[in-house]
Amino acid sequence: MIKAEGLCKVFVRNEAAQGKKKLFEKKQKTKQEFYAVDHISLEIGKGEIVGILGPNGAGKTTLLRMLGNLMEPTDGTVSITDELGEVLTDSVEIKKRIGYLSGNTKLYNRLSVREMLQVFGQIYRLTKEEIDRRTEDIFEILDMKSFGDNRIEKLSTGQTQRASIARCLIHKPDIYIFDEPTLGLDLLSSEAIVQFMKQEKERGKTVIYSTHYMEEAQYLCDRILMIHKGKIIASGTAEELMKQTGTNNLRDVFFSLIRGEERADG
């Protein structure tokens, strides 16, 4: 299980100072703090797929990076528990429990997928036998046998994305955190990744992922968190959110909630 309590991340941005400026006069800038993630609390258990939805700049990636222990929060805590319900405190053990896929993951282009998995397996201190066995399992799960021995630089976009996910699988994590895993992929590649997430849920794994594809989230997720301006503005199943907003699809739920927040702010 993964749990966040009062999670915040504050950044500083430069903004042009207000007031009239003479022509060609250099604009003065002031520094302003803002919450990319604003006091978010959540709890996600085993065998659950949770979708993080929101517009660009809502704080989705920042939230996922903090949940994945890749970014230090300004305030709040993230805790991960083991099979006995004990909170893990060792940073290496925590990282072993997580498979994280970012939107800009870089791979070693001159290696084949198999060679890359051998490298990462060694990083996680797996034996050669474990790496070989896991690699064959991953190729089966992600339908990669036809290109698993090809160099990464020769792969298509969809094949490269599957190679990125394969990297997250080699150490058998309990929790998957995926940032836009199907963005820009063709239908067949997207379907392979969606089916993978469903299979891992059935194996009792935890899957947390962000997406802009509302239909995909409606089909796949057990729960959905809608985020706007760093805050969770709605949480529940797709059916609950549609009932709450009087809509019949997640796309309309999204627009209804965002417009409601904008009216409240205005």
Side-chain angles (χ1 to χ4, degrees):
M1 183 181 74
I2 184 168
K3 183 177 182 180
E5 294 184 284
L7 206 57
C8 298
K9 186 64 180 180
V10 176
F11 291 117
V12 176
R13 62 186 167 203
N14 290 322
E15 291 197 345
Q18 297 298 314
K20 293 182 179 181
K21 296 292 179 183
K22 295 180 180 179
L23 191 61
F24 304 123
E25 183 179 348
K26 187 176 180 180
K27 290 184 178 180
Q28 298 297 315
K29 291 188 175 181
T30 60
K31 291 184 177 181
Q32 182 179 21
E33 290 187 346
F34 72 99
Y35 281 92
V37 171
D38 190 356
H39 295 87
I40 283 181
S41 297
L42 54 82
E43 190 172 309
I44 303 171
K46 294 175 60 177
E48 191 173 18
I49 300 178
V50 173
I52 311 292
L53 277 63
N56 289 335
K60 302 186 298 297
T61 294
T62 302
L63 173 61
L64 292 181
R65 288 179 64 80
M66 288 192 290
L67 292 177
N69 278 255
L70 297 177
M71 180 182 286
E72 193 75 24
T74 304
D75 197 10
T77 60
V78 175
S79 58
I80 293 172
T81 54
D82 62 15
E83 296 80 3
L84 301 176
E86 298 292 328
V87 176
L88 299 174
T89 56
D90 182 77
S91 61
V92 174
E93 184 62 28
I94 289 171
K95 291 187 187 315
K96 286 182 180 179
R97 301 282 175 146
I98 297 172
Y100 189 95
L101 176 71
S102 71
N104 58 355
T105 299
K106 303 299 181 185
L107 302 178
Y108 300 100
N109 285 337
R110 298 187 66 81
L111 297 180
S112 70
V113 179
R114 188 184 300 275
E115 289 168 340
M116 178 194 68
L117 293 180
Q118 290 172 350
V119 170
F120 279 97
Q122 291 167 10
I123 290 172
Y124 285 107
R125 299 181 181 177
L126 303 180
T127 66
K128 183 181 184 305
E129 292 73 20
E130 287 175 322
I131 294 171
D132 291 343
R133 185 171 61 253
R134 285 293 296 151
T135 297
E136 293 306 320
D137 288 345
I138 290 167
F139 284 178
E140 181 71 32
I141 290 169
L142 292 176
D143 192 19
M144 299 177 67
K145 289 185 177 181
S146 63
F147 61 88
D149 289 299
N150 295 353
R151 279 166 57 165
I152 291 169
E153 65 185 358
K154 301 294 185 182
L155 302 183
S156 69
T157 301
Q159 290 170 342
T160 301
Q161 188 72 325
R162 276 185 267 179
S164 294
I165 292 177
R167 173 189 59 79
C168 302
L169 280 174
I170 191 66
H171 59 297
K172 277 190 171 181
D174 297 322
I175 299 168
Y176 295 103
I177 301 177
F178 292 158
D179 192 1
E180 302 279 1
T182 59
L183 182 64
L185 301 186
D186 60 76
L187 288 175
L188 290 177
S189 297
S190 294
E191 180 62 15
I193 293 171
V194 166
Q195 290 305 317
F196 158 73
M197 288 191 278
K198 289 181 66 178
Q199 290 166 10
E200 291 303 286
K201 164 192 161 64
E202 291 166 3
R203 293 186 177 99
K205 306 290 187 175
T206 300
V207 180
I208 310 165
Y209 89 114
S210 69
T211 183
H212 281 101
Y213 299 134
M214 302 296 169
E215 293 81 4
E216 177 185 284
Q218 187 168 336
Y219 162 74
L220 184 61
C221 296
D222 299 300
R223 277 193 295 140
I224 290 164
L225 305 179
M226 292 279 191
I227 296 184
H228 185 51
K229 296 183 180 179
K231 296 182 179 181
I232 294 177
I233 59 173
S235 173
T237 65
E239 291 74 18
E240 289 169 345
L241 295 178
M242 287 187 287
K243 184 177 180 181
Q244 175 186 331
T245 55
T247 57
N248 57 19
N249 62 73
L250 270 188
R251 187 174 297 277
D252 289 341
V253 168
F254 176 81
F255 286 120
S256 175
L257 290 169
I258 296 299
R259 288 166 185 156
E261 285 294 308
E262 288 174 349
R263 284 194 296 270
D265 291 342

